[in-house]
Amino acid sequence: MAGLRGTLRRTRWRLGVVGAGVAALLAGVGLVSAGAAHAAAGCRVVYSAPSQWPGGFTANVDLTNLGDPLNGWRLTWTFPSGQRVTQAWNATVTSAGNDVTAANVSYNATLGTNQTVSFGFNGSWSGSNTAPTSFALNGVTCTGSVGPTTPPPTTPPPTDPPPTTPPPTGDAMAYVAAMQPGWNLGNTFDSVGDDETAWGNPRVTEAQLDAIRAQGFNSIRIPVTWSNRHGPAPSYTIDPAWLNRIKEVVGWALDDGFYVMINLHHDSWQWIHEMPTNRTTVLNRYNALWTQIAAAFRDASPKLHFESVNEPQFANSSGDAQNAQLLHELNVNFHRIVRASGGNNATRMLVLPTLHTSSEQARINELTTTINQLNDRNLIATVHFYGYWPFSVNVAGGTRFDATTQQDLVDAFDRVYNAFVTRGIPVVIGEYGLLGFDRHTGTIQQGEKLKFFEYFGYYARHRQLTTQLWDNGQHFNRTTFVWRDAELINQIKSSWTTRSGTASSDQVYVPRTGSITARTLTLNLNGTTFSGLRQGSTELVRGTDYTVSGNQLTLTASALTRLVGNRAYGVNATLQARFSAGVPWRIDVISHDPPVLSNATGTTASFAIATQFRGDQLATMEARYADGSNAGPHDWTSFKEFDVTFSPDYTGNRITLTDTFFGEVRDGSPVTLTFHFWSGAQVTYRVTKSGTSVTGQAG
């Protein structure tokens, strides 16, 4: 049951309804630099569908850049009627649910001021083919002019108007800054099982919280699911034992000096999502819960703050406008109830989410409208961030923390900074991590993972954002009080205060047989200076063991020959590149030969390929039919999702293909798999499904 939460979040991201990274499912796209966020921006879009037939249509899009020249563009929009793009020209067009991204191709990446680029596509439709009306160029809404983005849509006034006089002045920015860094007590009180241990974590103790506080965390988010912890309508009385247990743990955390956040958590998808079709019942239940919670914590320390609802979402709504109105209504009722309860709640910090806690511009605009109407100095905006989706789950070739993945982070943080922080409204990234962590932390290669967290911490500091690490038990062992991945937490902790140097890889592959030649890595100095290379406590000799030219670190052939020793398969030496600040960068020196895969038979439920990895590690897998078309899930890409469709077992010497993969493979159509390894080796393999039987052939 511990993985239930992760399954739900992964599904939601796959559908493209949360997160800034979901819409742009493409690699190698040129984007504007981080500094371009401050350039003059503006655009105009003319969308037309000159041809339409039952179930299909052709659309043309003319995009005019009205702002500063661009080197790389990305146009995003949302289809209002569930249309899908089936074929495109003059742009790389990808979709995630109703969200669509069109990105430049190599010959039209440059887009000067007042220059127009045109592209088109064929699409499918069912029911209606309503044209999209809102477009964004590189994250900036197209309004037909240069300047601010389109004002947020007007939503109905709150059911009860906000106070005409704001609460006494509080320094919300200073409050939230003091919360940095933060941690989530995930998969505990948010479980939907019988008790707080239902999803695999031990019962919370004072010692656990003491241990987390000792790790340097200043705030703790305690997600709480109330769905099955209260009685029936109309009072919806919360189970006193459950409420007292929450009060007990909150009290321990406050005694430890934490800033503490509690919320309505999985209630969002268990019953609040029914609001479009069951508004009165949902609102009555929601109001009753917050009335009781507010009363219970009325006199608690001001270091306690409330979050209205986690990752709000709505099923079967009429679209964005209704979603915005319903979330506005929830947030306004939450605000009214808490403020009216008096005591410390009159000025307590309150946390308001965007729809899906997304950092997309439209969602930010909607929350801005609510905050403006509430006219309250003690409000905090919150979003979540799990990275650029292909990288976050390792799909579509997203194996590296590359420029596209970095730009996605920059765009998201810039949007919330510009919308909120610049206006004195603090922002908490209430959850962050990588979605692959919901399976295990090895879904993303270690070095690429470390680069993501190094940059995440740096840019969050740069944009004055407080961060709260999502931990459902996969990071901090709540029994032994030891981090499961010491290298990862060291990088995270370092990023709270400084930058660390990294490199293009944390692996240097040397062939097990044949001659050994020098190997070069590119250093990412990140504002530091390179200070040396060590093996354990031994300093390697510059000029003899390695050379540095600019940002190029080269290990000499003689040093590599010594380091690999007898050249046994796998890691033969571990080096540390040291920099003037931050944590060292580990470099493994690995002996390898091309992996060897064997013929195999099995079933769609259990198919394993005996594999001699011979020192190598698997990065990703492609799947194609004989005609070159993509096979398996996510058929818009040949690169399949790591762990979901395939997974390596290095101790068991096998690669497993899952029933999820075979569930979307055609019967009797051979599929050629290409396994990509981190050494650069590529090995092909052919599988054929017949009913539930599968045969596999090497070569």
Side-chain angles (χ1 to χ4, degrees), residues 267-339:
D267 306 79
S268 60
W269 57 263
Q270 288 196 296
W271 55 273
I272 292 175
H273 73 292
E274 299 171 357
M275 197 172 175
T277 55
N278 197 14
R279 176 184 172 278
T280 300
T281 300
V282 168
L283 198 58
N284 287 343
R285 188 175 178 183
Y286 178 86
N287 290 349
L289 290 178
W290 270 119
T291 297
Q292 296 171 79
I293 297 167
F297 292 98
R298 178 180 184 275
D299 298 318
S301 163
K303 282 193 169 184
L304 174 67
H305 44 280
F306 302 149
E307 178 185 33
S308 64
V309 59
N310 170 73
E311 297 181 353
Q313 55 194 277
F314 302 104
N316 302 312
S317 77
S318 60
D320 286 348
Q322 186 182 21
N323 290 337
Q325 178 180 343
L326 295 176
L327 179 56
H328 176 84
E329 190 169 9
L330 290 176
N331 280 333
V332 166
N333 274 268
F334 160 74
H335 178 267
R336 172 182 56 81
I337 290 166
V338 175
R339 289 289 181 253

Side-chain angles (χ1 to χ4, degrees), residues 194-215:
D194 293 334
D195 63 17
E196 66 195 78
T197 68
W199 282 1
N201 283 312
R203 187 174 170 86
V204 179
T205 65
E206 289 181 89
Q208 287 177 14
L209 300 184
D210 294 345
I212 282 294
R213 186 75 170 107
Q215 295 295 317

Side-chain angles (χ1 to χ4, degrees), residues 14-88:
R14 278 198 201 104
L15 292 174
V17 295
V18 296
V22 184
L25 305 179
L26 45 109
V29 177
L31 298 177
V32 294
S33 66
H38 304 289
C43 46
R44 179 174 59 248
V45 172
V46 177
Y47 176 99
S48 62
S51 300
Q52 180 172 304
W53 56 94
F57 68 102
T58 296
N60 295 325
V61 181
D62 295 328
L63 165 64
T64 303
N65 174 32
L66 303 177
D68 289 348
L70 299 175
N71 183 16
W73 53 267
R74 182 179 66 188
L75 187 70
T76 56
W77 69 89
T78 299
F79 277 128
S81 305
Q83 301 98 319
R84 295 294 183 265
V85 174
T86 58
Q87 180 187 23

Side-chain angles (χ1 to χ4, degrees), residues 413-473:
F413 289 10
D414 282 355
R415 285 192 295 268
V416 294
Y417 172 81
N418 291 329
F420 300 119
V421 177
T422 59
R423 299 172 51 220
I425 301 167
V427 174
V428 172
I429 301 179
E431 295 180 16
Y432 76 91
L434 292 169
L435 293 176
F437 285 178
D438 286 332
R439 296 187 287 277
H440 58 74
T441 60
T443 298
I444 294 89
Q445 195 273 338
Q446 183 74 358
E448 302 305 313
K449 176 201 313 176
L450 296 177
K451 284 185 274 189
F452 169 86
F453 283 96
E454 191 281 332
Y455 195 83
F456 174 95
Y458 151 69
Y459 208 72
R461 279 191 294 113
H462 177 62
R463 285 310 190 200
Q464 303 172 55
L465 310 178
T466 286
T467 62
Q468 296 185 308
L469 176 67
W470 177 256
D471 189 349
N472 63 18

